Amino acid sequence: MAYETIIAETRGKVGLITLNRPKALNALNSQVMADVVAAANAFGADAAIGAMVITGSEKAFAAGADIKEMQSIAYVDAYTQDFFVGWEELTRTRKPVIAAVAGYALGGGCELAMMCDFIIAADTAKFGQPEITLGVIPGMGGSQRLTRFVGKSKAMDMCLTGRMMDAAEAERSGLVSRVVPAAELVEEAVKAAAKIADFSLPSVMMAKEAVNRSFETTLAEGLRFERRLFHSLFALEDQKEGMAAFAEKRKPNFTNR
Ligand code: CAA
């Protein structure tokens, strides 16, 4: 399917979404939101796809929400229409989504990356929440998700000063899972997604669900939730196949989809 502001394509079992508003450094307007959500939903519903990657350009993953679209919004409209609520649908995607970030990931760009399941950064990546410089605060989850990623002190520093964090600091702080050379970013992210897509789909989806639950519940409830999911996997052919393949020293062939 063709979209206005993104390119959606498949690489084997991986759905690749590339933000494509180069003249605006991939600023996230409402069309980008609609396109990204539609593409993620389409890949989510496609049985041939096991994982997704969202990326931008070499210069910018995304330089934030579209300031020019936002600047004249009235409070009454922002509130009654719950401006930005549409992005929440992306976080309901049940298959894994990797953010592959090169260049600027600022404001909504950083927040979009954090909505994904993990972030692989190019050595050129720069993360920031500069909303304070515009007279506002993060509105797509930055104050909440960044704090969970990097802790209070650094999240306060980023949100209050609006400064940028380079890839090395982002890796040191736990914001990104790994840093790769910029020229290899998309290839490395697609390779990671392809590896995930080769595993048992129900196991992958439950692993994502279990890790995400840890942010929403107590340790005791989270452990109980994990154990119930773990038990349920023994009902699937993929568990028998995965463990038989190990014992027989061969590659598993997972078929539950
Ligand atoms: N919204 C709309 N347009 C943007 C944009 C944004 N967030 N970021 C960049 N652009 C546009 C610029 O206006 C410019 O357009 P024109 O050529 O028509 O003038 C084009 O993209 C190229 O940008 P620059 O000329 O500024 O490029 P640069 O290399 O000199 O600077 C930059 C790059 C430092 C990223 C700079 O563009 C910048 O500071 N951008 C804004 C970053 C920002 O404040 N982001 C937060 C937005 S608010 C938000 O995201 C709220 C939220 O919580 C969701």
Side-chain angles (χ1 to χ4, degrees):
M1 173 160 173
Y3 297 94
E4 222 177 283
T5 62
I6 63 168
I7 298 165
E9 56 197 316
T10 55
R11 302 273 177 93
K13 296 179 191 169
V14 176
L16 175 62
I17 297 172
T18 306
L19 305 178
N20 191 30
R21 289 189 76 208
K23 286 188 188 141
L25 300 184
N26 290 330
L28 305 169
N29 63 14
S30 30
Q31 189 60 48
V32 180
M33 179 173 75
D35 286 349
V36 169
V37 166
N41 283 343
F43 286 137
D46 184 344
I49 296 296
M52 298 168 224
V53 172
I54 300 182
T55 194
S57 69
E58 269 175 42
K59 181 162 181 190
F61 175 74
D66 191 317
I67 300 166
K68 294 165 193 168
E69 183 187 66
M70 269 186 308
Q71 63 180 356
S72 54
I73 293 181
Y75 165 72
V76 65
D77 296 325
Y79 179 75
T80 56
Q81 291 162 24
D82 205 358
F83 186 53
F84 287 150
V85 71
W87 285 108
E88 280 176 17
E89 200 172 335
L90 180 67
T91 66
R92 287 196 284 273
T93 303
R94 297 175 72 209
K95 289 174 185 169
V97 185
I98 300 173
V101 175
Y104 296 113
L106 303 178
C110 185
E111 293 166 299
L112 171 58
M114 292 190 291
M115 283 179 212
C116 298
D117 296 310
F118 62 95
I119 303 172
I120 298 180
D123 46 16
T124 57
K126 286 190 170 61
F127 298 88
Q129 297 290 161
E131 289 87 348
I132 199 78
T133 68
L134 300 167
V136 290
I137 67 167
M140 279 168 56
S143 66
Q144 306 302 297
R145 289 200 178 92
L146 186 63
T147 309
R148 283 163 169 80
F149 275 95
V150 305
K152 176 181 168 180
S153 189
K154 214 171 264 285
M156 282 288 192
D157 179 356
M158 303 297 292
C159 291
L160 291 175
T161 69
R163 78 170 174 90
M164 293 186 210
M165 197 192 262
D166 65 15
E169 184 179 2
E171 186 179 33
R172 245 186 357 259
S173 320
L175 177 57
V176 309
S177 70
R178 32 181 142 153
V179 178
V180 299
E184 292 158 30
L185 175 69
V186 175
E187 184 192 329
E188 285 298 321
V190 168
K191 208 193 295 175
K195 182 173 187 174
I196 294 168
D198 269 342
F199 294 133
S200 164
L201 181 63
S203 305
V204 161
M205 289 171 67
M206 286 192 205
K208 169 169 173 162
E209 196 178 355
V211 172
N212 280 335
R213 182 58 74 98
S214 74
F215 291 100
E216 307 288 348
T217 192
T218 62
L219 179 61
E221 281 306 315
L223 290 171
R224 197 175 136 83
F225 181 75
E226 177 197 76
R227 202 169 313 116
R228 292 294 172 257
L229 289 181
F230 174 71
H231 293 160
S232 73
L233 287 168
F234 286 77
L236 295 181
E237 186 52 40
D238 281 353
Q239 174 267 328
K240 306 290 177 267
E241 167 63 11
M243 294 189 184
F246 175 81
E248 292 160 17
K249 300 187 190 300
R250 62 173 173 82
K251 205 172 171 288
N253 177 28
F254 295 118
T255 54
N256 286 131
R257 296 207 69 80

